[in-house]
Amino acid sequence: MKFEAQIKNQKMSLDIDEEHHLIKNGNEDQAYSLEVLNDGRYLLRLGLKTYTLDDITIDNRVVHLSLNGQHYSVGIKDEQGLLLESLGFSQQLATAQNALKAPMPGKILDVLHQEGDKITKGEPLVILEAMKMENELTAPSDGEIDRVHVHPGDSVEKNATLIEIHISG
């Protein structure tokens, strides 16, 4: 599984081989293991080093965590995000100030909310199938759904408005 991680201004390309428990960073391979501790923390062994991970939260492709007591925010792009970027599709196009827009052409598989529903930032709103992958499109902010423009089975173009949102706050 390929990932790109960004910590501050430093980017790392990682390839995680779950079957052989290896993390490949450039030309370097390191063995790893990840253990869940009873108190909800994790113990990560990477090569000969051991790290304690806790306070892990994920917010829109950013992982916030404490590593051996130091806080980090790590931007993550998975294989799908890297593929979309290489094809010129920015994931940032998925949202606008008051609308959820299609980040790429595709087919609507499911609309998870109706007009008038209250929503919170990051909540799944629409499932879009594109490039044979299901993409969960989430709310850009807290608010209320003003208008739903699509239905399951609809085909949409890149940047098509899927849902209009009345932003709260």
Side-chain angles (χ1 to χ4, degrees), residues 3 11 75 80 91 112 117 154 160:
F3 289 93
K11 287 186 181 182
Q80 177 184 353
Q91 292 180 347
L112 305 171
D117 285 357
D154 288 354

Side-chain angles (χ1 to χ4, degrees), residues 54-113:
D54 53 329
D55 299 328
I56 300 172
T57 60
I58 300 172
D59 179 27
N60 199 24
R61 301 195 190 280
V62 176
V63 178
H64 304 278
L65 59 94
S66 176
L67 176 75
N68 290 344
Q70 272 200 296
H71 180 52
Y72 293 91
S73 294
V74 183
I76 301 289
K77 289 182 187 168
D78 58 9
E79 284 183 85
Q80 177 184 353
L82 292 169
L83 174 62
L84 290 173
E85 188 176 89
S86 73
L87 294 172
F89 298 118
S90 170
Q91 292 180 347
Q92 299 303 317
L93 292 176
T95 59
Q97 173 106 18
N98 61 348
L100 178 67
K101 295 188 177 235
M104 67 201 94
K107 179 180 176 183
I108 302 297
L109 294 181
D110 201 2
V111 178
L112 305 171
H113 288 277

Side-chain angles (χ1 to χ4, degrees), residues 17-31:
D17 181 344
E18 293 180 74
E19 182 180 344
H20 297 102
H21 297 278
L22 290 174
I23 294 179
K24 300 174 185 185
N25 183 2
N27 294 329
E28 184 181 346
D29 290 359
Q30 286 191 307

